[in-house]
Each structure stands twice: as structure tokens, then as C-alpha cells.
Amino acid sequence: MEIAKSFEPHPIEARWYPEWESRGYFKASMDTNARPYCILLPPPNVTGTLHMGHAFQHTLMDCLIRYRRMMGDNVLWQAGTDHAGIATQIVVERQLEAQQLDRRTMGRDAFLERVWQWKEQSGSTITRQMRRLGSSCDWSRERFTMDEGLSRAVARVFVQLYREGLIYRGKRLVNWDPVLQTAVSDLEVVSEEEDGKLWHIRYPLASGQGTLVVATTRPETMLGDVAVAVHPDDPRYQHMIGQQVLLPLTGRNIPIIADTYVDPAFGTGCVKITPAHDFNDYQVGQRHQLEPISIFTLDARINDNAPEAYRGMDRFEARARILADLESQGFLDSVKPHKLMVPRGDRTRQVIEPMLSDQWFVSMAGMADNALSVVREGKIRFVPENWTSTYNHWLDNIQDWCISRQLWWGHRIPAWYDDEGRVYVAETKAEAVIMAGGKTLTQDEDVLDTWFSSALWPFSTLGWPDKTLELGAFLPSSVLVTGFDIIFFWVARMIMMTTHFTGHVPFEEVYVTGLVRDAHGQKMSKSKGNILDPIDLIDGIDLESLVQKRTSNLMDPKQAATIEKSTRKEFPDGIPSFGTDALRFTFASLATHGRDIKFDLQRCEGYRNFCNKLWNATRYVLMNVEGQDCGLDPALPVSLSVADRWIISRLQDAEAAVHEAFRTYRFDLAARALYEFLWDEYCDWYVELAKTQLAHVEDAVHRGTRRTLVRVLEATLRLAHPIIPFITEELWQRVAPLAGKSGASIMLQPYPQPQDEKRDATASEALGLLKELVNACRTLRSEMNVGPGERVPLLISGNTQKLSGLEGYLQFLARLSEVSPQSAGLPDADAPVAVVGDIQLMLKIEIDVAAETERLNKQIAKLEEDLVKARAKLDNPGFVERAPATVVAQERERMERFSVTLKELQGQLARLQNRG
């Protein structure tokens, strides 16, 4: 049965993925004789949908997984999702709000039941989308961070760290979201530059002998000031160090202290110190034993530690009132515009408040030292290597980790309190009750930071604390593929936790990818309206749906109108369907080391054409070999031509290049090697050469050509499968039997290996010459305006022995009527001559003297114009002195090339005119 005339990806994708999964092809073999290879999927949020960053990284992981699986390894791609404490709780709370319900009135247990219901109904969106991308995870082992087994591991780790003295409870400064009313991690804080103001406030000296002027961007926090700091070497203020100032509006006196934290060049060189509401000030306060004064409630209103006039006010309402009072009392010196970085919660967009609160912490110093040493000793390698220094810098400056969150959804902290406030830390309440001697206990209300359970991912997913076969086989895993933004928040913590609890590193290599940006290099974001949905690239989306998708939920009508306008301009016809394989090949081709990715739909279109090229080439091969003798019978003679030997030799080079590319995580080079071999050499050259061979009368040549066509194509399909799995599976099913291969799936086939004995330098040299000759003939035809259907004779002279055996190919590919060697040299004619090494070529054709004269005059005029421009540049001292030396050298080379070509054309014109 003939394959379809055109490549339609969707029915192929819809058929093959369920087939692969249902047959169990994604499962780890657990073959003890095979080398283990494991990749941990960075668990996406259970609330999430597949974005371009996911799709990019998942493609690269799947390429490695499919490659190692075909290499015969015992492969596990460990999949799973993260419970995403804050994100999930917000989603469910908003659903409740729409139903006029509130979690606090529902109670904790009822609320958590609703969250679990939501998780079961909607929590698998992203894993369904991963399947659309072709991700071959072992779904039978899929994990969720709040599964029973992983929750047991979380409790075990917490209790052990607590008993080792590495987990403690204390009052420290944390990022506080006053809307969510919980501590949040640095990763959940987005700092963006905004237009603000810098207020200069006079603080009178307590002695009455003058004032200090203090600059601040947050005047409301002055109610919690405990000191004013100056640099110890600042001569303006050295005489004031140790004195007191009167804190305006409060009636309190506070000291003037000296600290090198102060930048004398910023503002007035005097800094108000508010340890309870600024991280840097907190450190200064610690150094000077200053007692912090917290002035905010947990919802960011002024509390009772502040003067009565401001109590109960929202922080920004209080700011306005405080500024008015400062001005009316003569304390406000000046106000200046000032750009500043404002920290906002990534979920609520509210300004984050540094807040002193009672939290649970992990002491990091000792574990950080171990994490630094395993990288320093080469047990873990970063790719690209420059990320090692970033990792080291973060760990060298590590602070204790706040692990408690004031939420309901998440792993509840395994600590219980008796009526006297004594704490009992245990894995279960039953154990805690025994520890407390049977007392009535109440569990801590807080839950653990989501990153706590994520930090255990490398070993908890494999069954720890039990000693499982998987733990023995796949720890450490082979490589972690991740973004640079979570090297500290996740990667470093996995290294610390895994080495501490298992004695192993979690993974041997960390491949750090770039960020996927839009075609203009801008970060993709909802606010910019430049987000691309990978599923839309696979399926296509019409313009109106795309506009709706990009503008929905935007509160600002002007912003929505701007995004709609730009979307209609950029995608007037919407986004076409590219299919999964084209998208994956695009991602692979863009995956260079150390660079962010500029994602351009034109690349997607180009690689969709590549898939079409592969489909059409396979269709041609099948039409010419199915039902024919493909050289499978060893009793029948097979003759391999120079073209056959050349493409077989080039296949070995391509195989070696792809192996090396996967080994070094150069997916771009793997994609390039496949593209160049398949399109440039197999399709554009070998298939065309094969046409001349299939016209040969000798059966042995026919067999050799057919065998080479199908064997090389079959191997190429296997070679390309890790990157473009769907089209290669579909085509392999048809090609494989003709190449003498059998099996249920291309996934189960061995990956092609280069064989040195099949490399053929002689054939490669011959085909290299043939390519040059054909290209030279095509250039001559173009220069002579010879139509594509017109066959003309070619005259050749020089070392024509090199052409032995290539004449037929040259005649066919260059559309020549004959190839005629000229032992006495080329005739003295007016036709252009091409030179390839020591061979000269001329098309034997009658020339229209007038037309050729006109053509030559046009070319000469253009060259003379180019020469004048180049000479003017080089005669300009400003250009020669200021331009880079390489640019000047290139310009001189261009001028020289123009001169040589001009001389040749003038000679041709002179000969033509002499003839006339």
C-alpha cells in the first residue's frame, strides 16, 4: 500500500503515542546487565500547563532518553508533579470565591478535601500535554510530591534533621506576602524596576545642635527605626558617631552608628536602620545588637508598636499621613524622583514586606560545605561549566533556609505542642503522643515550603527510605536538565539533601539550558502578550482564538488593546499547524550552550519542510524499491557504485557526529548533522544519483542501489528518531522490512553505530569533485541563460582522468547532452569558462553576441561602481584608523576580488568585440 502523498502529523501522533505507552515501551527494563541511565523530570506544578520552557527542556530530555534506550541502557525517565503549595491553594480559593465560599469558614479539613478533588479532576493537564510532545516518561512510576510514599520521606527527613540540630524554630526576617499572609521564597518574589520617590527627612540631633538628613524610599517604616548609620570613614559625620537623634513623629531617641554597609555616595550618606522591615538593616542590627521594632501586622497595617495616630492604617495610607505630618512639622527636607526595584509576590502582585515572624529554619552551613565539595571533587559536573562558579557563589553566601509556610495545602510540619508550649517532633502523631507521655497535643499549623519536598525528589521518588531496586540502580541519576534560575533553589538543595541522607550525589551532570525568548529576544510573559503555547504550535490556532488567549484576564484595557494590535500584526493568519516533530526539531536546533533561545516561527516552518522532505524522499524510495530486489538474498551479486560507497561513508560521519553531539549535550549539532546529511546529501545528491543507477541494465547495480537506498534511509530514520519520533516510527514501519529489519517499533531498535571500515576516502573525494563540477556547470548555465529543459554539450580539458566513472552522473545532474574531453585544451571561444581545480569547463553553445555584450557591460558597470565605493572607504583615514583590523582586511579583500573579476569580464568583452 502506497504511503500518503503528503505528511499529515496529527493522525500519526494520535496513533503512535498511545501504542508506545500501552505496550510498555517507556518502562525501565530493570535489566541488571544493562547500564542504568536515569533522568529526573523537574516536577512541574500540578496547577500548570505546558509552556515553551517546559516544552524545550522536555524535548531535550526525551532526546537523551530515546537515544540511551536505543543504546540498550536500562532507562528510567522519572516523571511526576509538584503539589505547588501557594499556586494550588490560590487556584482553589478563587474557585471557592466564585461560589461565595471562604476557606476559613469551611475549615481546614473541608478545604483540603476540595483541593484533592481539584487535583484529581484538573491536575493532570500538563502530563497530558507532555504526551502530546512525545515525552516517553515511565508513567507507571509517576509520582506526586504529596503521595503517601513521598510524604513519609518528607517526615523522616524533617525529624532526622531536627534531631541532628539542623532544623530549629526562631524569629527571623522573611519575605512576607500580606495578601496570602505567608512567608514566601525568593523565587516567588519578582523584583521589577518602578518609578518611585526618594524622600529626604530631617532627624534632629538630640543635643539640639543640628540635624541629619536621611534618604528613604519607604518613609512609613521610619516608625520602626532603631538607629541612623553612617560610614565610619565619612568625614562629614565622624564627629557624630555615638550621638543620638530624635526620631520624628515618635518621641524616641535613637543612636548614630558607624557601619561599612553605608554607601557615602548614595543620598546624603545617612541611612535609617529598620531591622524589622529590611534585610540589609536586619544584618546591621545583628552586628550592633539593636533590638528590632516591628510596626506591621501580618496584613501590613500599622500595629501598636507605632504612635497611636497611625495604628490600624494600611501601610500605603500610613505613608501618605506620615509624609503630610513630616511636612507640616518641618521634618521633610525634599522629594526627588527615583527608580527603584520593587519586590512583588509572583502570585498576588502585592508588594512583599520583609517581616519578623516565628518560622522553622534549616541550618545550611554544614550541608553547603558538602555540596561545594562534591562539585569541587568532580562528582557532579555542570554543563556549560561556567555555571559552576554561579553555584559556588550562591553556596558561599548561603543563609539559613526558612522552610515554614502559613498555608493549609502542603506537608504539614510534623511538630506537636502540649498545653505548656513544649514541642514534640515525630513522624506521626502517635509517636509524638508517646514522647509527650500521653498528653493532649496540637499539631503545628504551618506547612513546609514546596521546595523542601522537591529537594528530596532524587531519592524519595525511588522509594527511600526503603532500600529498593530502583534506588540501587538509579541513584545517582545520569543528568539533570534544568534552567539556571533554580540552580540554587532546587539544584543545590537536592545536592545537599541527597548527599546528607544517602551518601550519594543526586546526579552526575547538570545540563543548564538557556531561557526561551520570543523572536526579538524578549522574555515571554502574559503582560507583554508575546507568549507562545507549544500546543498551539503543534495544532495551529486561528487569529481570533489567539487574540482572545493573549488578552483574557488582562485588567488594563489599554494593555489589552496594545497586545491585540501587535498580535494581529505579527500573526495575521493565526499560527499554522507545525506538528510535534517540527517543533521538537526546532527546539533541538536552537539548543546551543550558554545562550538564551530566540524562538522564531520561521525556523518551525523550515523544519516542517524538513519533515516533508523526509516524507517525500521515503515515498520516492518506496515507489522505486517495493516489490523489487533490494539485495537481501546473499546468493545474488551486489555491485556498489562510487555513489553508493560515498553515501554509506557519509552515513558513518553523520552517525559519529550525532553520537558526539548527544554525549556533549550539543543538540544543535545533532540536528545540524541530521539535516545536512538527510537534506543536502541523501535527498539532494544521492537520490538523484540513484536515478541514473536505476536506469542501468545490470542487475547487480540495481540491487546495490536499491539496497543502499533502503539501508541508508532505514539507518537514518533510527538516527533521527530521538529528535523526531513520530515521523520516523511511521516511515520505519514501511522501510525496515525492505532493509532486512524486523521489530514492533523503531524505539526498540539498536541505535546506529559508525563503522570505520565503511568509510571510503576515495569515494568521498570523487563525489566531492562531482559536486564541484555539477555546481560549476549550473553556474555556467545560469550565466549563459540556458533554460532548465535545454541539454547542451560540455567541453572539458585538463586532468580529465579524474572524471573517470563520473561522466554519466555529471551529464544527468547538469542536464548535459554530452561530456566531451578536449585533449588540446578548450577552444578560443567567447563562452564563459569555469575552473574546478585542474579541470576547465565550457558549455558549447552559440552565443547571442549582442545579448552577451549587454550582459557583460551590466556586470562590468556594477563592478566598477562597487570598486569606487570600496576604494573610497579605504581612502578614508577615519575608516582605516577606527574600524576593526578584520573589517579593514575584509574590505581590501573585497576590492581585490572586484578587480580580478572585472579584469576577467573585460577580457571576455574584448574577445567578444574582436570577434564581432
Side-chain angles (χ1 to χ4, degrees):
M1 179 178 144
E2 189 176 301
I3 66 170
K5 288 186 178 180
S6 60
F7 171 49
E8 297 293 340
H10 297 123
I12 293 170
E13 294 165 12
R15 180 169 69 256
W16 276 112
Y17 194 93
E19 192 78 10
W20 291 331
E21 186 176 358
S22 64
R23 292 181 181 179
Y25 294 162
F26 302 159
K27 293 181 179 180
S29 68
M30 299 311 291
D31 180 356
T32 55
N33 295 317
R35 181 174 62 175
Y37 186 89
C38 176
I39 294 179
L40 301 166
L41 176 75
N45 288 355
V46 72
T47 58
T49 56
L50 196 74
H51 59 59
M52 291 293 280
H54 289 134
F56 175 53
Q57 292 181 352
H58 293 185
T59 294
L60 304 188
M61 283 183 263
D62 194 52
C63 288
L64 293 170
I65 286 292
R66 288 179 182 269
Y67 168 65
R68 297 308 316 186
R69 193 182 281 127
M70 293 176 76
M71 289 291 289
D73 291 355
N74 172 23
V75 170
L76 171 64
W77 188 3
Q78 177 60 59
T81 49
D82 192 284
H83 66 277
I86 291 177
T88 304
Q89 181 156 323
I90 288 176
V91 167
V92 178
E93 284 199 56
R94 285 175 180 164
Q95 289 179 347
L96 293 173
E97 285 171 12
Q99 301 168 29
Q100 284 78 50
L101 295 173
D102 178 79
R103 71 176 170 96
R104 292 173 183 82
T105 56
M106 291 176 67
R108 187 169 193 146
D109 291 343
F111 175 75
L112 291 178
E113 188 176 337
R114 286 293 291 267
V115 179
W116 278 107
Q117 287 174 6
W118 177 88
K119 187 264 178 187
E120 295 305 317
Q121 293 165 5
S122 307
S124 57
T125 298
I126 197 164
T127 55
R128 287 197 302 271
Q129 292 175 326
M130 285 179 63
R131 287 170 166 87
R132 291 295 315 279
L133 197 67
S135 300
S136 58
C137 305
D138 186 346
W139 297 111
S140 69
R141 294 189 47 81
E142 184 180 358
R143 297 292 183 265
F144 178 54
T145 47
M146 287 186 65
D147 283 347
E148 182 180 345
L150 273 64
S151 296
R152 183 163 66 98
V154 167
R156 177 71 56 89
V157 165
F158 186 98
V159 171
Q160 186 169 326
L161 289 176
Y162 178 81
R163 290 174 181 169
E164 291 173 7
L166 296 176
I167 281 183
Y168 63 92
R169 185 168 171 82
K171 187 180 286 290
R172 297 278 293 275
L173 205 61
V174 297
N175 295 314
W176 187 265
D177 188 315
V179 175
L180 296 175
Q181 295 193 30
T182 180
V184 293
S185 73
D186 289 344
L187 196 63
E188 292 155 331
V189 178
V190 179
S191 292
E192 296 175 347
E193 187 176 73
E194 298 182 14
D195 291 324
K197 293 178 181 178
L198 190 64
W199 287 274
H200 289 73
I201 303 169
R202 295 190 187 95
Y203 283 37
L205 290 170
S207 64
Q209 302 299 309
T211 62
L212 284 181
V213 177
V214 172
T216 181
T217 59
R218 304 183 65 213
E220 66 276 11
T221 63
M222 67 176 291
L223 303 179
D225 287 359
V226 297
V228 172
V230 298
H231 195 280
D233 299 329
D234 191 333
R236 294 172 295 176
Y237 306 116
Q238 281 180 326
H239 66 287
M240 297 183 181
I241 296 170
Q243 295 188 41
Q244 301 266 320
V245 293
L246 174 66
L247 182 62
L249 310 181
T250 68
R252 287 192 290 114
N253 285 348
I254 58 176
I256 301 170
I257 62 173
D259 198 283
T260 54
Y261 157 68
V262 179
D263 179 3
F266 179 76
T268 62
C270 300
V271 177
K272 57 190 283 304
I273 302 300
T274 320
H277 299 292
D278 183 278
F279 288 101
N280 291 316
D281 290 5
Y282 182 79
Q283 297 298 326
V284 174
Q286 294 286 97
R287 288 195 290 273
H288 294 268
Q289 291 84 48
L290 299 171
E291 189 67 30
I293 300 175
S294 177
I295 61 159
F296 290 131
T297 61
L298 296 181
D299 59 352
R301 293 182 175 276
I302 305 299
N303 67 17
D304 291 347
N305 291 330
E308 188 174 353
Y310 310 108
R311 292 173 189 170
M313 288 184 179
D314 172 80
R315 54 186 164 165
F316 298 116
E317 180 189 357
R319 175 183 293 183
R321 175 73 178 274
I322 287 166
L323 288 170
D325 290 349
L326 288 171
E327 187 168 21
S328 67
Q329 296 178 36
F331 292 120
L332 190 59
D333 182 79
S334 63
V335 185
K336 296 177 182 177
H338 180 69
K339 288 191 178 295
L340 68 160
M341 300 301 290
V342 178
R344 293 184 180 273
D346 67 345
R347 302 291 173 184
T348 63
R349 302 302 300 166
Q350 295 299 307
V351 176
I352 293 297
E353 197 63 58
M355 190 80 77
L356 272 176
S357 65
D358 289 315
Q359 303 287 346
W360 290 90
F361 294 88
V362 178
S363 176
M364 303 302 289
M367 284 196 282
D369 288 342
N370 291 336
L372 285 165
S373 68
V374 294
V375 172
R376 187 170 54 248
E377 293 163 8
K379 295 177 181 177
I380 297 175
R381 185 173 76 96
F382 281 86
V383 180
E385 195 174 344
N386 61 286
W387 289 110
T388 305
S389 58
T390 303
Y391 170 86
N392 290 342
H393 174 74
W394 280 337
L395 288 185
D396 283 336
N397 296 277
I398 199 167
Q399 302 290 322
D400 284 357
W401 174 16
C402 175
I403 57 170
S404 47
R405 298 290 181 266
Q406 288 64 53
L407 302 169
W408 285 357
W409 173 246
H411 295 100
R412 197 163 174 182
I413 289 177
W416 286 263
Y417 303 91
D418 62 21
D419 292 340
E420 289 79 38
R422 284 187 289 268
V423 64
Y424 305 91
V425 173
E427 291 186 39
T428 65
K429 184 176 182 179
E431 289 179 24
V433 169
I434 293 171
M435 292 169 62
K439 292 179 182 178
T440 300
L441 301 178
T442 303
Q443 189 170 359
D444 196 302
E445 292 289 323
D446 291 351
V447 299
L448 287 164
D449 178 12
T450 296
W451 293 101
F452 190 89
S453 52
S454 299
L456 317 185
W457 193 248
F459 55 99
S460 64
T461 53
L462 300 176
W464 188 92
D466 297 333
K467 293 183 178 179
T468 63
L469 290 175
E470 290 83 0
L471 196 64
F474 299 118
L475 186 72
S477 62
S478 307
V479 61
L480 178 75
V481 179
T482 188
F484 64 86
D485 53 337
I486 54 174
I487 289 177
F488 174 70
F489 292 99
W490 189 46
V491 178
R493 287 168 177 168
M494 283 193 290
I495 294 172
M496 287 187 274
M497 289 293 196
T498 308
T499 53
H500 188 84
F501 284 95
T502 72
H504 297 285
V505 293
F507 25 73
E508 294 168 341
E509 293 182 307
V510 181
Y511 172 55
V512 182
T513 68
L515 186 71
V516 181
R517 298 180 178 272
D518 70 10
H520 309 291
Q522 296 293 311
K523 186 175 180 179
M524 292 187 185
S525 70
K526 180 80 173 175
S527 61
K528 290 178 180 167
N530 61 349
I531 286 176
L532 290 171
D533 183 336
I535 303 301
D536 291 342
L537 299 181
I538 292 171
D539 292 341
I541 185 172
D542 65 83
L543 177 60
E544 298 308 319
S545 299
L546 181 61
V547 168
Q548 171 66 21
K549 197 170 194 174
R550 287 186 161 188
T551 57
S552 63
N553 301 322
L554 291 176
M555 305 301 292
D556 183 352
K558 287 185 178 179
Q559 182 187 28
T562 301
I563 289 171
E564 178 176 355
K565 183 178 178 181
S566 64
T567 300
R568 291 185 182 279
K569 182 179 178 181
E570 188 174 3
F571 306 104
D573 301 315
I575 295 175
S577 165
F578 295 111
T580 298
D581 287 324
L583 177 60
R584 287 171 61 111
F585 203 95
T586 304
F587 281 135
S589 72
L590 292 170
T592 55
H593 277 190
R595 295 183 193 170
D596 284 349
I597 309 305
K598 286 186 180 180
F599 193 90
D600 188 343
L601 286 190
Q602 289 184 342
R603 294 289 289 264
C604 248
E605 189 172 339
Y607 295 128
R608 180 180 60 184
N609 294 340
F610 173 73
C611 292
N612 289 336
K613 185 87 166 180
L614 172 58
W615 185 271
N616 293 334
T618 304
R619 188 166 179 272
Y620 167 81
V621 170
L622 292 174
M623 288 170 61
N624 282 275
V625 304
E626 279 190 311
Q628 304 288 327
D629 182 356
C630 293
L632 295 180
D633 187 346
L636 295 175
V638 171
S639 176
L640 296 181
S641 69
V642 65
D644 298 331
R645 300 197 312 276
W646 165 73
I647 196 65
I648 292 168
S649 180
R650 280 296 298 118
L651 175 62
Q652 312 314 306
D653 297 337
E655 289 170 352
V658 174
H659 275 282
E660 179 63 13
F662 280 138
R663 187 187 70 81
T664 55
Y665 307 109
R666 289 301 303 266
F667 301 92
D668 58 324
L669 299 184
R672 183 196 298 176
L674 285 165
Y675 186 98
E676 291 177 352
F677 177 74
L678 188 59
W679 188 303
D680 298 345
E681 295 181 315
Y682 184 81
C683 294
D684 282 0
W685 285 99
Y686 180 69
V687 168
E688 295 302 311
L689 294 167
K691 291 176 183 177
T692 68
Q693 296 174 183
L694 290 175
H696 203 284
V697 295
E698 188 182 336
D699 285 343
V701 173
H702 283 182
R703 275 191 290 275
T705 301
R706 291 195 188 100
R707 189 177 81 172
T708 304
L709 276 168
V710 296
R711 284 191 176 184
V712 171
L713 178 57
E714 187 276 334
T716 306
L717 292 171
R718 284 185 284 128
L719 195 65
H721 176 75
I723 299 179
I724 46 175
F726 291 106
I727 189 173
T728 51
E729 179 73 272
E730 181 75 8
L731 296 178
W732 185 85
Q733 296 290 332
R734 295 293 299 275
V735 173
L738 301 172
K741 300 285 185 180
S742 61
S745 169
I746 192 173
M747 283 183 61
L748 308 180
Q749 299 303 305
Y751 202 69
Q753 300 283 353
Q755 297 168 266
D756 284 340
E757 66 273 15
K758 291 186 177 180
R759 286 191 164 98
D760 193 320
T762 303
S764 295
E765 184 178 350
L767 263 291
L769 174 62
L770 176 64
K771 285 183 179 183
E772 288 189 74
L773 293 170
V774 170
N775 289 332
C777 289
R778 288 170 177 169
T779 301
L780 288 174
R781 291 178 69 98
S782 174
E783 289 178 357
M784 302 295 291
N785 294 316
V786 178
E790 188 179 351
R791 295 188 177 273
V792 295
L794 176 71
L795 307 180
I796 60 170
S797 69
N799 190 0
T800 57
Q801 295 88 346
K802 287 183 178 179
L803 269 72
S804 178
L806 301 178
E807 298 91 341
Y809 297 130
L810 179 58
Q811 185 173 334
F812 175 76
L813 295 175
R815 297 178 179 273
L816 305 170
S817 58
E818 64 173 312
V819 177
S820 175
Q822 306 291 302
S823 57
L826 296 178
D828 186 12
D830 304 313
V833 174
V835 178
V836 175
D838 50 6
I839 300 173
Q840 297 81 45
L841 303 89
M842 176 190 289
L843 294 179
K844 186 179 180 182
I845 188 170
E846 287 299 322
I847 297 174
D848 182 331
V849 175
E852 182 65 5
T853 300
E854 183 182 358
R855 183 184 73 82
L856 288 171
N857 277 323
K858 283 182 179 177
Q859 284 189 278
I860 288 169
K862 177 69 168 60
L863 276 169
E864 287 175 338
E865 184 183 334
D866 290 340
L867 260 173
V868 169
K869 289 179 181 176
R871 195 171 283 123
K873 254 189 182 182
L874 291 169
D875 288 343
N876 180 356
F879 170 75
V880 175
E881 291 168 7
R882 292 175 190 153
T886 53
V887 173
V888 176
Q890 286 171 0
E891 197 62 30
R892 288 201 173 103
E893 287 173 14
R894 285 179 73 240
M895 193 170 80
E896 179 65 24
R897 193 164 62 250
F898 291 154
S899 299
V900 170
T901 307
L902 179 62
K903 189 174 180 181
E904 290 175 356
L905 292 177
Q906 287 170 334
Q908 284 187 38
L909 181 61
R911 288 194 299 275
L912 198 63
Q913 290 170 338
N914 289 337
R915 178 183 178 189

